[in-house]
Amino acid sequence: MSSRISISRPPGVSYSPDPHGIGNSRSPSGYRAADPDNPVEKLQYYAKQIEDYVEIYSQPLRPHLPAIGRFLIIVTFLEDSLRIITQWSDQLWYLHKHRYFPRGISHIFLILNVITMLVGSGAVVTKRHTEYAVAGLFAVVIIQGFGYGLIFDMTFFLRNLSVIGGLFMVFSDSMVSRKKLFAGIPSISENDRRKYFLLAGRVLLIFLFLGFIFQGTWNFGRAVLSLFGLVACGMVAVGFKAKWSAVFLVLTLSVFNVAVNNWWSIHSAHPARDFLKYDFFQTLSIVGGLILLVNMGPGGLSVDEKKKSF
């Protein structure tokens, strides 16, 4: 049997829903606090709302973002290693017939590429000797561009600039980790270096989207997406609302990657399959760099950081 207990309030004592003053008495920021006739304040309100939603819904994933970003950045190197191994004779034939590599040199070229990509990728994921791993993978990007004769191909050039930007983000992330390990030791010069690497990484990451704009046929949907993408790229480059812009680019590139670079739908014997597969994993790597940007922020050389000083 249940009983209902009522507690009467003494006369003259008013009821307070927050007797200890724990609640926040300040008026909430938002559209009601803004001038409804001012379009700038409206835009600031909606931008703030989007940032709040990004912060709220990214909280469960936030501890895992560095690992996800690092893994996505190195998947293009893992895929490239596997492709060289499984297509060894085709790779040698191309280097001999089209790039005029001597036979011994072509073997050494492929072996060094595979070893560097596998070892460097493993080091990036495990966070061991990250600086050397990033340097090795950076060298692979440059050497392959010259070795395969693609350095002057605009699409290849822009994509690989973005991959290099992702590697810079990994290097910046390793500086953050190292700073946490040695929190009591001042490292002014390292903080300065990290700011410049973050700036370079932000700027280079956006070149993939620029390559997307320059290639393909145009229609209304593509024009609208390109316009928003260009705005987001500019915001990432200057570090203004960089996290929101990076999230937008992550979502846009992910949808575009699955819809356009769907290599799994192409027959294994079709020559377009390898090209789509290469583009798919390179785009994943750049998405990984943007995820690291979402996690770390734009760094000291950015509009967002300067605004904190005022």
Side-chain angles (χ1 to χ4, degrees), residues 116-143:
T116 304
M117 288 189 289
L118 291 178
V119 173
S121 299
V124 167
V125 171
T126 58
K127 296 186 178 182
R128 295 181 180 274
H129 307 292
T130 306
E131 298 86 348
Y132 299 108
V134 169
L137 295 176
F138 176 82
V140 165
V141 173
I142 301 300
I143 291 170

PDB file of all heavy atoms in Angstrom, residues 116-143:
ATOM      1  N   THR A 116      58.924   2.286 -46.755  1.00  0.00           N
ATOM      2  CA  THR A 116      58.731   3.593 -46.118  1.00  0.00           C
ATOM      3  C   THR A 116      57.268   3.839 -45.788  1.00  0.00           C
ATOM      4  O   THR A 116      56.931   4.339 -44.701  1.00  0.00           O
ATOM      5  CB  THR A 116      59.254   4.720 -47.028  1.00  0.00           C
ATOM      6  OG1 THR A 116      60.622   4.472 -47.359  1.00  0.00           O
ATOM      7  CG2 THR A 116      59.147   6.060 -46.333  1.00  0.00           C
ATOM      8  N   MET A 117      56.366   3.483 -46.704  1.00  0.00           N
ATOM      9  CA  MET A 117      54.940   3.710 -46.459  1.00  0.00           C
ATOM     10  C   MET A 117      54.413   2.832 -45.341  1.00  0.00           C
ATOM     11  O   MET A 117      53.642   3.292 -44.490  1.00  0.00           O
ATOM     12  CB  MET A 117      54.142   3.491 -47.749  1.00  0.00           C
ATOM     13  CG  MET A 117      54.338   4.598 -48.772  1.00  0.00           C
ATOM     14  SD  MET A 117      53.215   4.501 -50.192  1.00  0.00           S
ATOM     15  CE  MET A 117      53.870   3.071 -51.051  1.00  0.00           C
ATOM     16  N   LEU A 118      54.825   1.564 -45.309  1.00  0.00           N
ATOM     17  CA  LEU A 118      54.342   0.670 -44.260  1.00  0.00           C
ATOM     18  C   LEU A 118      54.898   1.050 -42.892  1.00  0.00           C
ATOM     19  O   LEU A 118      54.159   1.136 -41.904  1.00  0.00           O
ATOM     20  CB  LEU A 118      54.707  -0.783 -44.593  1.00  0.00           C
ATOM     21  CG  LEU A 118      53.974  -1.404 -45.790  1.00  0.00           C
ATOM     22  CD1 LEU A 118      54.467  -2.825 -46.041  1.00  0.00           C
ATOM     23  CD2 LEU A 118      52.462  -1.414 -45.564  1.00  0.00           C
ATOM     24  N   VAL A 119      56.201   1.290 -42.825  1.00  0.00           N
ATOM     25  CA  VAL A 119      56.819   1.646 -41.545  1.00  0.00           C
ATOM     26  C   VAL A 119      56.320   3.015 -41.072  1.00  0.00           C
ATOM     27  O   VAL A 119      55.982   3.202 -39.894  1.00  0.00           O
ATOM     28  CB  VAL A 119      58.356   1.640 -41.666  1.00  0.00           C
ATOM     29  CG1 VAL A 119      58.995   2.163 -40.388  1.00  0.00           C
ATOM     30  CG2 VAL A 119      58.860   0.228 -41.953  1.00  0.00           C
ATOM     31  N   GLY A 120      56.282   3.982 -41.987  1.00  0.00           N
ATOM     32  CA  GLY A 120      55.801   5.316 -41.615  1.00  0.00           C
ATOM     33  C   GLY A 120      54.355   5.303 -41.167  1.00  0.00           C
ATOM     34  O   GLY A 120      53.990   5.970 -40.192  1.00  0.00           O
ATOM     35  N   SER A 121      53.493   4.548 -41.844  1.00  0.00           N
ATOM     36  CA  SER A 121      52.086   4.462 -41.450  1.00  0.00           C
ATOM     37  C   SER A 121      51.937   3.842 -40.071  1.00  0.00           C
ATOM     38  O   SER A 121      51.150   4.318 -39.240  1.00  0.00           O
ATOM     39  CB  SER A 121      51.298   3.652 -42.484  1.00  0.00           C
ATOM     40  OG  SER A 121      51.337   4.257 -43.754  1.00  0.00           O
ATOM     41  N   GLY A 122      52.698   2.778 -39.820  1.00  0.00           N
ATOM     42  CA  GLY A 122      52.647   2.157 -38.499  1.00  0.00           C
ATOM     43  C   GLY A 122      53.103   3.112 -37.404  1.00  0.00           C
ATOM     44  O   GLY A 122      52.515   3.154 -36.310  1.00  0.00           O
ATOM     45  N   ALA A 123      54.132   3.899 -37.683  1.00  0.00           N
ATOM     46  CA  ALA A 123      54.629   4.849 -36.695  1.00  0.00           C
ATOM     47  C   ALA A 123      53.621   5.962 -36.423  1.00  0.00           C
ATOM     48  O   ALA A 123      53.469   6.418 -35.280  1.00  0.00           O
ATOM     49  CB  ALA A 123      55.962   5.440 -37.164  1.00  0.00           C
ATOM     50  N   VAL A 124      52.924   6.409 -37.456  1.00  0.00           N
ATOM     51  CA  VAL A 124      51.918   7.457 -37.265  1.00  0.00           C
ATOM     52  C   VAL A 124      50.778   6.956 -36.395  1.00  0.00           C
ATOM     53  O   VAL A 124      50.319   7.651 -35.478  1.00  0.00           O
ATOM     54  CB  VAL A 124      51.380   7.941 -38.631  1.00  0.00           C
ATOM     55  CG1 VAL A 124      50.117   8.779 -38.458  1.00  0.00           C
ATOM     56  CG2 VAL A 124      52.438   8.759 -39.352  1.00  0.00           C
ATOM     57  N   VAL A 125      50.304   5.739 -36.648  1.00  0.00           N
ATOM     58  CA  VAL A 125      49.189   5.188 -35.880  1.00  0.00           C
ATOM     59  C   VAL A 125      49.583   4.946 -34.429  1.00  0.00           C
ATOM     60  O   VAL A 125      48.814   5.235 -33.500  1.00  0.00           O
ATOM     61  CB  VAL A 125      48.675   3.885 -36.529  1.00  0.00           C
ATOM     62  CG1 VAL A 125      47.679   3.184 -35.621  1.00  0.00           C
ATOM     63  CG2 VAL A 125      48.023   4.189 -37.872  1.00  0.00           C
ATOM     64  N   THR A 126      50.786   4.435 -34.205  1.00  0.00           N
ATOM     65  CA  THR A 126      51.238   4.118 -32.844  1.00  0.00           C
ATOM     66  C   THR A 126      51.860   5.306 -32.130  1.00  0.00           C
ATOM     67  O   THR A 126      52.263   5.190 -30.970  1.00  0.00           O
ATOM     68  CB  THR A 126      52.246   2.966 -32.881  1.00  0.00           C
ATOM     69  OG1 THR A 126      53.371   3.330 -33.711  1.00  0.00           O
ATOM     70  CG2 THR A 126      51.613   1.700 -33.437  1.00  0.00           C
ATOM     71  N   LYS A 127      51.989   6.454 -32.817  1.00  0.00           N
ATOM     72  CA  LYS A 127      52.557   7.680 -32.240  1.00  0.00           C
ATOM     73  C   LYS A 127      54.008   7.483 -31.794  1.00  0.00           C
ATOM     74  O   LYS A 127      54.430   8.018 -30.772  1.00  0.00           O
ATOM     75  CB  LYS A 127      51.713   8.172 -31.062  1.00  0.00           C
ATOM     76  CG  LYS A 127      50.306   8.587 -31.428  1.00  0.00           C
ATOM     77  CD  LYS A 127      49.594   9.185 -30.234  1.00  0.00           C
ATOM     78  CE  LYS A 127      48.196   9.642 -30.596  1.00  0.00           C
ATOM     79  NZ  LYS A 127      47.503  10.262 -29.449  1.00  0.00           N
ATOM     80  N   ARG A 128      54.761   6.736 -32.543  1.00  0.00           N
ATOM     81  CA  ARG A 128      56.167   6.512 -32.236  1.00  0.00           C
ATOM     82  C   ARG A 128      57.018   7.125 -33.347  1.00  0.00           C
ATOM     83  O   ARG A 128      56.834   6.798 -34.521  1.00  0.00           O
ATOM     84  CB  ARG A 128      56.467   5.017 -32.101  1.00  0.00           C
ATOM     85  CG  ARG A 128      55.764   4.373 -30.915  1.00  0.00           C
ATOM     86  CD  ARG A 128      56.114   2.890 -30.811  1.00  0.00           C
ATOM     87  NE  ARG A 128      55.453   2.263 -29.672  1.00  0.00           N
ATOM     88  CZ  ARG A 128      55.938   2.261 -28.434  1.00  0.00           C
ATOM     89  NH1 ARG A 128      57.098   2.863 -28.178  1.00  0.00           N
ATOM     90  NH2 ARG A 128      55.279   1.671 -27.451  1.00  0.00           N
ATOM     91  N   HIS A 129      57.941   7.997 -32.948  1.00  0.00           N
ATOM     92  CA  HIS A 129      58.832   8.663 -33.901  1.00  0.00           C
ATOM     93  C   HIS A 129      58.021   9.311 -35.023  1.00  0.00           C
ATOM     94  O   HIS A 129      58.319   9.140 -36.212  1.00  0.00           O
ATOM     95  CB  HIS A 129      59.838   7.664 -34.477  1.00  0.00           C
ATOM     96  CG  HIS A 129      60.593   6.897 -33.436  1.00  0.00           C
ATOM     97  ND1 HIS A 129      61.525   7.486 -32.594  1.00  0.00           N
ATOM     98  CD2 HIS A 129      60.543   5.590 -33.087  1.00  0.00           C
ATOM     99  CE1 HIS A 129      62.026   6.569 -31.780  1.00  0.00           C
ATOM    100  NE2 HIS A 129      61.450   5.412 -32.051  1.00  0.00           N
ATOM    101  N   THR A 130      56.986  10.055 -34.615  1.00  0.00           N
ATOM    102  CA  THR A 130      56.070  10.636 -35.596  1.00  0.00           C
ATOM    103  C   THR A 130      56.781  11.582 -36.550  1.00  0.00           C
ATOM    104  O   THR A 130      56.449  11.637 -37.743  1.00  0.00           O
ATOM    105  CB  THR A 130      54.929  11.372 -34.868  1.00  0.00           C
ATOM    106  OG1 THR A 130      54.309  10.481 -33.938  1.00  0.00           O
ATOM    107  CG2 THR A 130      53.890  11.877 -35.847  1.00  0.00           C
ATOM    108  N   GLU A 131      57.758  12.341 -36.035  1.00  0.00           N
ATOM    109  CA  GLU A 131      58.453  13.306 -36.894  1.00  0.00           C
ATOM    110  C   GLU A 131      59.148  12.610 -38.059  1.00  0.00           C
ATOM    111  O   GLU A 131      59.052  13.044 -39.208  1.00  0.00           O
ATOM    112  CB  GLU A 131      59.482  14.104 -36.086  1.00  0.00           C
ATOM    113  CG  GLU A 131      58.869  14.948 -34.968  1.00  0.00           C
ATOM    114  CD  GLU A 131      58.691  14.171 -33.670  1.00  0.00           C
ATOM    115  OE1 GLU A 131      58.836  12.924 -33.701  1.00  0.00           O
ATOM    116  OE2 GLU A 131      58.419  14.794 -32.642  1.00  0.00           O
ATOM    117  N   TYR A 132      59.842  11.496 -37.760  1.00  0.00           N
ATOM    118  CA  TYR A 132      60.540  10.762 -38.816  1.00  0.00           C
ATOM    119  C   TYR A 132      59.542  10.103 -39.763  1.00  0.00           C
ATOM    120  O   TYR A 132      59.778  10.020 -40.977  1.00  0.00           O
ATOM    121  CB  TYR A 132      61.461   9.707 -38.205  1.00  0.00           C
ATOM    122  CG  TYR A 132      62.525  10.291 -37.308  1.00  0.00           C
ATOM    123  CD1 TYR A 132      62.466  10.144 -35.930  1.00  0.00           C
ATOM    124  CD2 TYR A 132      63.600  11.004 -37.839  1.00  0.00           C
ATOM    125  CE1 TYR A 132      63.440  10.698 -35.095  1.00  0.00           C
ATOM    126  CE2 TYR A 132      64.581  11.554 -37.021  1.00  0.00           C
ATOM    127  CZ  TYR A 132      64.489  11.399 -35.655  1.00  0.00           C
ATOM    128  OH  TYR A 132      65.457  11.943 -34.847  1.00  0.00           O
ATOM    129  N   ALA A 133      58.428   9.615 -39.208  1.00  0.00           N
ATOM    130  CA  ALA A 133      57.405   8.980 -40.046  1.00  0.00           C
ATOM    131  C   ALA A 133      56.804   9.985 -41.024  1.00  0.00           C
ATOM    132  O   ALA A 133      56.628   9.685 -42.213  1.00  0.00           O
ATOM    133  CB  ALA A 133      56.308   8.381 -39.164  1.00  0.00           C
ATOM    134  N   VAL A 134      56.481  11.185 -40.520  1.00  0.00           N
ATOM    135  CA  VAL A 134      55.917  12.221 -41.386  1.00  0.00           C
ATOM    136  C   VAL A 134      56.920  12.622 -42.467  1.00  0.00           C
ATOM    137  O   VAL A 134      56.561  12.793 -43.642  1.00  0.00           O
ATOM    138  CB  VAL A 134      55.494  13.445 -40.549  1.00  0.00           C
ATOM    139  CG1 VAL A 134      55.163  14.633 -41.449  1.00  0.00           C
ATOM    140  CG2 VAL A 134      54.289  13.102 -39.681  1.00  0.00           C
ATOM    141  N   ALA A 135      58.188  12.750 -42.087  1.00  0.00           N
ATOM    142  CA  ALA A 135      59.220  13.098 -43.076  1.00  0.00           C
ATOM    143  C   ALA A 135      59.338  12.025 -44.148  1.00  0.00           C
ATOM    144  O   ALA A 135      59.467  12.330 -45.345  1.00  0.00           O
ATOM    145  CB  ALA A 135      60.567  13.303 -42.375  1.00  0.00           C
ATOM    146  N   GLY A 136      59.284  10.746 -43.743  1.00  0.00           N
ATOM    147  CA  GLY A 136      59.373   9.654 -44.713  1.00  0.00           C
ATOM    148  C   GLY A 136      58.189   9.636 -45.660  1.00  0.00           C
ATOM    149  O   GLY A 136      58.359   9.470 -46.882  1.00  0.00           O
ATOM    150  N   LEU A 137      56.976   9.813 -45.131  1.00  0.00           N
ATOM    151  CA  LEU A 137      55.781   9.808 -45.982  1.00  0.00           C
ATOM    152  C   LEU A 137      55.746  11.034 -46.887  1.00  0.00           C
ATOM    153  O   LEU A 137      55.302  10.962 -48.037  1.00  0.00           O
ATOM    154  CB  LEU A 137      54.522   9.757 -45.107  1.00  0.00           C
ATOM    155  CG  LEU A 137      54.359   8.470 -44.278  1.00  0.00           C
ATOM    156  CD1 LEU A 137      53.138   8.579 -43.375  1.00  0.00           C
ATOM    157  CD2 LEU A 137      54.262   7.241 -45.175  1.00  0.00           C
ATOM    158  N   PHE A 138      56.223  12.155 -46.380  1.00  0.00           N
ATOM    159  CA  PHE A 138      56.337  13.361 -47.214  1.00  0.00           C
ATOM    160  C   PHE A 138      57.286  13.106 -48.391  1.00  0.00           C
ATOM    161  O   PHE A 138      56.998  13.478 -49.534  1.00  0.00           O
ATOM    162  CB  PHE A 138      56.849  14.512 -46.344  1.00  0.00           C
ATOM    163  CG  PHE A 138      57.101  15.785 -47.102  1.00  0.00           C
ATOM    164  CD1 PHE A 138      56.071  16.657 -47.399  1.00  0.00           C
ATOM    165  CD2 PHE A 138      58.377  16.115 -47.519  1.00  0.00           C
ATOM    166  CE1 PHE A 138      56.303  17.832 -48.101  1.00  0.00           C
ATOM    167  CE2 PHE A 138      58.624  17.282 -48.220  1.00  0.00           C
ATOM    168  CZ  PHE A 138      57.583  18.143 -48.505  1.00  0.00           C
ATOM    169  N   ALA A 139      58.410  12.440 -48.109  1.00  0.00           N
ATOM    170  CA  ALA A 139      59.368  12.126 -49.178  1.00  0.00           C
ATOM    171  C   ALA A 139      58.748  11.194 -50.214  1.00  0.00           C
ATOM    172  O   ALA A 139      58.992  11.331 -51.418  1.00  0.00           O
ATOM    173  CB  ALA A 139      60.622  11.496 -48.574  1.00  0.00           C
ATOM    174  N   VAL A 140      57.925  10.240 -49.760  1.00  0.00           N
ATOM    175  CA  VAL A 140      57.258   9.320 -50.687  1.00  0.00           C
ATOM    176  C   VAL A 140      56.348  10.081 -51.646  1.00  0.00           C
ATOM    177  O   VAL A 140      56.324   9.809 -52.854  1.00  0.00           O
ATOM    178  CB  VAL A 140      56.460   8.256 -49.903  1.00  0.00           C
ATOM    179  CG1 VAL A 140      55.479   7.523 -50.818  1.00  0.00           C
ATOM    180  CG2 VAL A 140      57.402   7.248 -49.254  1.00  0.00           C
ATOM    181  N   VAL A 141      55.577  11.045 -51.113  1.00  0.00           N
ATOM    182  CA  VAL A 141      54.674  11.829 -51.960  1.00  0.00           C
ATOM    183  C   VAL A 141      55.457  12.560 -53.057  1.00  0.00           C
ATOM    184  O   VAL A 141      55.073  12.553 -54.234  1.00  0.00           O
ATOM    185  CB  VAL A 141      53.874  12.832 -51.100  1.00  0.00           C
ATOM    186  CG1 VAL A 141      53.060  13.775 -51.992  1.00  0.00           C
ATOM    187  CG2 VAL A 141      52.940  12.098 -50.151  1.00  0.00           C
ATOM    188  N   ILE A 142      56.580  13.168 -52.669  1.00  0.00           N
ATOM    189  CA  ILE A 142      57.382  13.920 -53.641  1.00  0.00           C
ATOM    190  C   ILE A 142      58.045  12.983 -54.656  1.00  0.00           C
ATOM    191  O   ILE A 142      57.991  13.209 -55.879  1.00  0.00           O
ATOM    192  CB  ILE A 142      58.457  14.750 -52.912  1.00  0.00           C
ATOM    193  CG1 ILE A 142      57.805  15.712 -51.921  1.00  0.00           C
ATOM    194  CG2 ILE A 142      59.307  15.514 -53.929  1.00  0.00           C
ATOM    195  CD1 ILE A 142      56.860  16.699 -52.524  1.00  0.00           C
ATOM    196  N   ILE A 143      58.650  11.906 -54.166  1.00  0.00           N
ATOM    197  CA  ILE A 143      59.385  10.986 -55.045  1.00  0.00           C
ATOM    198  C   ILE A 143      58.440  10.295 -56.029  1.00  0.00           C
ATOM    199  O   ILE A 143      58.758  10.136 -57.211  1.00  0.00           O
ATOM    200  CB  ILE A 143      60.156   9.953 -54.206  1.00  0.00           C
ATOM    201  CG1 ILE A 143      61.306  10.648 -53.459  1.00  0.00           C
ATOM    202  CG2 ILE A 143      60.703   8.833 -55.079  1.00  0.00           C
ATOM    203  CD1 ILE A 143      61.979   9.760 -52.434  1.00  0.00           C
TER     204      ILE A 143
END
